[in-house]
Amino acid sequence: MPREQIFDEAEYERRVARTKDRLREADLDAIVVADPANMNYLTGYDGWSFYVHQAVVVTLERDEPVWIGRGMDGNGARATTHLSEASIRTYSDDHVHSPHDLHPMDYVAGVLEELGVDDGRIGLEMDAAYFTAKSYTRLQQNLPDAAFEDATLLVGWVRIKKSDQELAYMREAARISEHAMQAGLDAIEEGIPEYEAAAAIYDALITGTEAYGGDYPSIVPLMPSGEHTGTPHLTWTDRPFEDGDPVIIELSGCRHRYHSPLARTTFVGDPPAELVETAEVVVEGLEAALDAAEPGVTCEAVESAWRETIAQYGLEKEDRIGYSMGLGYPPDWGEHTASLRPGDDTVLEEDMTFHMIPGIWTDELGVEISETFHVTATGAETLAEFPRQLFTT
Amino acid sequence: MPREQIFDEAEYERRVARTKDRLREADLDAIVVADPANMNYLTGYDGWSFYVHQAVVVTLERDEPVWIGRGMDGNGARATTHLSEASIRTYSDDHVHSPHDLHPMDYVAGVLEELGVDDGRIGLEMDAAYFTAKSYTRLQQNLPDAAFEDATLLVGWVRIKKSDQELAYMREAARISEHAMQAGLDAIEEGIPEYEAAAAIYDALITGTEAYGGDYPSIVPLMPSGEHTGTPHLTWTDRPFEDGDPVIIELSGCRHRYHSPLARTTFVGDPPAELVETAEVVVEGLEAALDAAEPGVTCEAVESAWRETIAQYGLEKEDRIGYSMGLGYPPDWGEHTASLRPGDDTVLEEDMTFHMIPGIWTDELGVEISETFHVTATGAETLAEFPRQLFTT
């Protein structure tokens, strides 16, 4: 029995039905889903078990998806999904990091045979983290009559539009993000080691709000500081913050695996005029891009509003400024479908959600200020409410 | 310039030299390392950037490894490695979740060509979490003259024996594990929601000790409770602990990415006699297995000491009871080489390190009590010092 009703059964049925529509469009008989976020999306399965191979199989013929995992995780599937017993299949522990010639995908191949799709057209998430090269070659070896197709983003494109309940969880995550950002800004001061700020942020992320707790985020809080604001993915160290340090905080609250990321920049001491001005440009560009976002507009047009704004100040930035996101597991909360960048002609539709995270780096200083937004019928609604400015300690 | 000297340059040179020895033994000209722990081991690179493709290439010919990653992460490589500028190579942002037919491994293939191994024998980590099926097929398409071999565990077998400095960091991690376990045990009581216990554990994990802070662990604290102690990989919820709940806490402190995992079991209220007795059997079996561990003994012989002990009480358990570990990134702190289980004839050697995590589950109750141990010249030294017993609230 599910331990908690995160979504009602009908919502999972709608997700599976939409996935089957996409299978038909792609002329596929089945898909093997290995991305833990996609597994959760289709079944509700939620556990830190993705360090071993597991999968959800959807076929055109069968009503329910089939969850496949390690023996000891079968009870986790019983606890977190609505699946019937026949749809929960587990492999024995000697498949795990096996010293024998035995791989979990051998077992998955057997299930695909049972489901009668071993000579069919099967979609695989060829570029999903956790769907390894070996997972692929073992399926090929076991199922010589199958035709495999790359379906990496098939479920991701179903996920991009959120239901009311998904948006409700993302708004709950946004409340947590606001608390955690405030906790980080409050903690950062000269002489305080970076890890103490990280601990304060984590406390807010997990303690959540008065009404509910927080889940672990798919990406740890990132706090590049000092000369490392130009290294966005370094994590905290024992180094004490120093007078003159810019610090970028990027974090996300998480609720039932749904995120609402938020980034702000602060400065230890009196910020130089250049940083203050750069932050103003980032806010102006961010707001221009948010104003541009509405149904019918392309992703690249949203980015273009940012690009044109900062160009007025002689600035340019090459990277994308945002991406669709929501449900996620480590290492990422992004959905890997639409990106806000030149060349992406995805058209925004109502109930898509994006993290827009523009930034500007000079040789020594960096500023990032971000918002998570929901595409409404008429524009873009940001999920968090947090001042858009450069902070100081 | 490295932001902090985690290990001196000579230690990285020894690691690379040992990796080259294994390349020669396997008759390989090069290896493409995609496991973030292996990348760190060979270069020091440390950043939460493994949600995009990246690699370290070691060739027989070249002195230094080559780090390859996303453009915005190049400065992270400059900050955390000793590599010379010529050994840090980055791909442009349009390779990331690209709407075009462009993949980071296309860039990696170009570097392999430049290094003159494109017609050579190249080892790939075929079953590493972030080395996707698509990474493999793109390398194949780009390098039709290369012979690819599975080298998933090549670096892992180098990592299994720890240096003095690595052991020092694991002992630092063990101090953090002790604090975090105490924090978790102190927090758990009737009526307290699970997330509050998780928050208390996180606070201890990141705050660390008086002398140093803690890093994020590769696996979040796991706290299966109540009827879910038989579901080892579920994470915390909003549920309040109830009188009569058994709770298993599995966690690890982390220091410079080195872990020392620890598991204990507690009970909310007065534990039933069956649980108390089961915990005593687990401790007896754990200690028998620790006594059996010393250089020259096989992994399966260590497991056998556990199995024989619990068999005296009419109990059996099918899963492995431990695995080699140390350095790690999400989703796992295990090294995936040696396991403590039947059929694994790996011979223990001095300076290997294992997490031994035996457990017994009945239909309704589960007990796990674990230790991380270091194989010394004469036996096994546990890294943490924490009472081995069933706790109560």
Side-chain angles (χ1 to χ4, degrees):
Chain A
M1 285 296 295
R3 59 178 176 177
E4 197 177 353
Q5 299 291 322
I6 312 285
F7 294 99
D8 62 30
E9 203 161 348
E11 178 146 358
Y12 292 109
E13 287 168 0
R14 284 192 295 273
R15 295 171 179 184
V16 171
R18 286 207 301 273
T19 299
K20 289 187 182 184
D21 289 343
R22 292 205 172 245
L23 288 178
R24 279 184 210 99
E25 286 166 23
D27 196 21
L28 294 172
D29 300 302
I31 184 170
V32 178
V33 168
D35 178 324
N38 290 343
M39 291 178 62
N40 176 314
Y41 186 75
L42 293 171
T43 69
Y45 180 71
D46 183 24
W48 190 291
S49 55
F50 41 87
Y51 66 92
V52 298
H53 294 292
Q54 48 187 22
V56 163
V57 176
V58 177
T59 71
L60 284 182
E61 296 292 323
R62 198 174 193 281
D63 285 342
E64 274 192 339
V66 178
W67 181 94
I68 306 167
R70 186 181 185 184
M72 67 168 68
D73 296 320
N75 280 338
R78 290 176 191 102
T80 60
T81 77
H82 296 83
L83 296 176
S84 64
E85 193 59 29
S87 300
I88 295 174
R89 304 293 303 271
T90 64
Y91 57 81
S92 61
D93 221 51
D94 52 356
H95 290 74
V96 177
H97 309 141
S98 183
H100 319 294
D101 184 33
L102 203 55
H103 191 276
M105 286 296 153
D106 302 342
Y107 183 87
V108 172
V111 174
L112 291 166
E113 276 185 63
E114 263 183 60
L115 295 173
V117 293
D118 51 308
D119 58 353
R121 289 171 53 83
I122 301 175
L124 301 177
E125 296 180 330
M126 293 292 287
D127 212 20
Y130 311 123
F131 188 71
T132 65
K134 189 151 191 173
S135 292
Y136 175 52
T137 60
R138 296 300 282 229
L139 287 178
Q140 281 184 314
Q141 287 158 24
N142 280 286
L143 301 174
D145 298 329
F148 295 109
E149 299 291 327
D150 187 359
T152 301
L153 298 179
L154 189 143
V155 178
W157 284 112
V158 176
R159 280 166 53 198
I160 194 168
K161 289 179 69 171
K162 308 300 184 288
S163 71
D164 289 348
Q165 187 60 62
E166 287 182 291
L167 287 167
Y169 291 141
M170 290 181 73
R171 289 193 188 97
E172 290 184 356
R175 300 290 83 73
I176 298 174
S177 297
E178 293 160 358
H179 288 191
M181 183 61 71
Q182 193 60 55
L185 292 170
D186 290 346
I188 291 171
E189 59 181 86
E190 187 180 355
I192 293 291
E194 291 174 5
Y195 66 81
E196 287 197 15
I201 291 170
Y202 257 113
D203 187 58
L205 288 176
I206 311 296
T207 307
T209 69
E210 295 282 313
Y212 50 83
D215 210 342
Y216 60 90
S218 292
I219 303 177
V220 295
L222 297 168
M223 291 188 306
S225 66
E227 63 181 8
H228 294 310
T229 48
T231 55
H233 299 119
L234 296 189
T235 50
W236 64 86
T237 70
D238 289 357
R239 190 185 81 95
F241 292 107
E242 291 172 20
D243 184 67
D245 279 347
V247 187
I248 294 170
I249 304 175
E250 182 181 357
L251 56 76
S252 181
C254 183
R255 183 73 178 145
H256 299 311
R257 308 308 318 141
Y258 284 83
H259 296 79
S260 181
L262 188 67
R264 290 292 184 270
T265 303
T266 185
F267 192 85
V268 182
D270 288 327
E274 187 194 358
L275 192 70
V276 175
E277 287 156 19
T278 303
E280 286 169 0
V281 175
V282 172
V283 171
E284 188 181 336
L286 171 71
E287 294 182 345
L290 286 171
D291 284 347
E294 63 179 25
V297 167
T298 63
C299 284
E300 65 179 352
V302 173
E303 193 273 348
S304 167
W306 152 261
R307 183 177 291 249
E308 286 167 15
T309 303
I310 67 168
Q312 293 167 18
Y313 300 91
L315 296 167
E316 57 185 324
K317 179 181 181 280
E318 281 179 21
D319 307 318
R320 64 177 182 167
I321 62 159
Y323 48 84
S324 64
M325 57 87 236
L327 180 61
Y329 285 88
D332 199 3
W333 54 52
E335 290 173 350
H336 306 174
T337 46
S339 289
L340 304 176
R341 68 175 158 200
D344 193 322
D345 55 10
T346 306
V347 175
L348 298 195
E349 293 180 49
E350 189 174 353
D351 294 333
M352 290 183 176
T353 50
F354 288 84
H355 182 212
M356 184 189 289
I357 179 164
I360 292 173
W361 290 269
T362 62
D363 284 347
E364 295 190 347
L365 299 173
V367 176
E368 284 182 35
I369 297 175
S370 86
E371 294 290 353
T372 292
F373 69 91
H374 161 220
V375 181
T376 65
T378 57
E381 168 210 41
T382 59
L383 298 194
E385 289 193 22
F386 206 87
R388 288 179 201 145
Q389 62 175 76
L390 176 70
F391 290 85
T392 56
T393 59
Chain B
M1 287 292 295
R3 58 178 177 176
E4 196 178 354
Q5 298 292 322
I6 312 285
F7 294 100
D8 63 29
E9 202 161 349
E11 179 147 354
Y12 291 110
E13 287 167 1
R14 284 193 294 274
R15 296 171 177 185
V16 171
R18 286 208 302 275
T19 300
K20 289 185 181 184
D21 289 344
R22 291 204 171 244
L23 288 178
R24 280 184 210 98
E25 285 166 25
D27 196 21
L28 293 172
D29 300 301
I31 184 169
V32 178
V33 168
D35 179 324
N38 290 343
M39 291 179 62
N40 175 314
Y41 187 75
L42 293 171
T43 69
Y45 180 71
D46 182 23
W48 190 291
S49 55
F50 41 87
Y51 66 92
V52 297
H53 293 293
Q54 45 187 23
V56 162
V57 176
V58 176
T59 71
L60 285 182
E61 297 291 323
R62 197 173 192 282
D63 286 342
E64 274 191 340
V66 177
W67 181 93
I68 305 166
R70 185 180 183 183
M72 66 169 66
D73 296 320
N75 279 338
R78 290 176 191 102
T80 60
T81 77
H82 296 83
L83 296 176
S84 63
E85 193 58 29
S87 300
I88 296 174
R89 304 291 304 272
T90 64
Y91 57 80
S92 60
D93 220 51
D94 52 357
H95 290 74
V96 177
H97 310 141
S98 182
H100 319 294
D101 185 33
L102 202 57
H103 191 275
M105 285 296 152
D106 302 341
Y107 183 87
V108 172
V111 174
L112 291 166
E113 275 185 65
E114 264 183 59
L115 294 173
V117 293
D118 50 309
D119 59 353
R121 289 170 53 83
I122 301 174
L124 300 177
E125 296 181 331
M126 293 291 286
D127 213 20
Y130 301 117
F131 189 70
T132 65
K134 188 150 192 175
S135 293
Y136 176 52
T137 60
R138 296 300 283 229
L139 287 178
Q140 282 184 315
Q141 287 160 20
N142 280 285
L143 301 174
D145 297 329
F148 295 108
E149 298 289 328
D150 187 359
T152 301
L153 297 179
L154 190 142
V155 179
W157 284 111
V158 176
R159 279 167 52 197
I160 194 167
K161 290 179 68 170
K162 307 299 184 289
S163 71
D164 289 348
Q165 186 60 60
E166 288 183 290
L167 288 166
Y169 291 139
M170 289 180 72
R171 288 192 189 95
E172 290 183 356
R175 298 291 82 74
I176 298 174
S177 297
E178 293 159 356
H179 288 193
M181 184 60 73
Q182 194 60 56
L185 292 171
D186 290 346
I188 291 170
E189 60 181 84
E190 186 181 354
I192 293 290
E194 291 174 8
Y195 67 81
E196 286 197 17
I201 290 170
Y202 257 113
D203 187 59
L205 288 176
I206 311 297
T207 307
T209 70
E210 295 281 313
Y212 50 83
D215 210 342
Y216 61 90
S218 292
I219 303 177
V220 295
L222 297 169
M223 292 189 305
S225 66
E227 63 181 8
H228 295 309
T229 49
T231 54
H233 299 120
L234 295 190
T235 49
W236 63 86
T237 70
D238 288 357
R239 191 185 79 95
F241 292 107
E242 292 173 16
D243 185 67
D245 278 346
V247 187
I248 295 170
I249 305 175
E250 182 182 357
L251 56 75
S252 181
C254 184
R255 183 72 178 146
H256 299 312
R257 309 306 320 141
Y258 284 84
H259 296 79
S260 182
L262 188 67
R264 290 293 184 269
T265 303
T266 186
F267 192 86
V268 182
D270 288 327
E274 186 194 359
L275 191 71
V276 175
E277 286 155 20
T278 302
E280 285 168 0
V281 175
V282 172
V283 171
E284 188 181 336
L286 171 71
E287 293 182 346
L290 286 170
D291 284 348
E294 61 180 23
V297 166
T298 62
C299 283
E300 65 179 352
V302 173
E303 192 274 347
S304 167
W306 152 262
R307 184 177 291 248
E308 286 166 17
T309 303
I310 66 168
Q312 293 167 18
Y313 300 92
L315 296 167
E316 57 184 324
K317 178 182 181 284
E318 281 179 22
D319 308 318
R320 63 177 183 168
I321 62 158
Y323 48 83
S324 65
M325 57 87 237
L327 180 62
Y329 284 88
D332 200 3
W333 52 53
E335 290 172 347
H336 306 176
T337 48
S339 290
L340 304 175
R341 68 173 156 202
D344 193 322
D345 56 8
T346 306
V347 175
L348 297 195
E349 293 180 51
E350 190 174 351
D351 294 333
M352 289 181 175
T353 49
F354 289 84
H355 182 213
M356 183 189 289
I357 178 162
I360 292 174
W361 290 268
T362 63
D363 283 346
E364 296 193 344
L365 299 173
V367 176
E368 285 182 33
I369 297 175
S370 86
E371 294 289 355
T372 292
F373 70 91
H374 161 221
V375 181
T376 65
T378 56
E381 168 209 40
T382 57
L383 297 193
E385 290 193 22
F386 206 87
R388 286 179 202 145
Q389 62 176 76
L390 176 71
F391 290 85
T392 56
T393 58

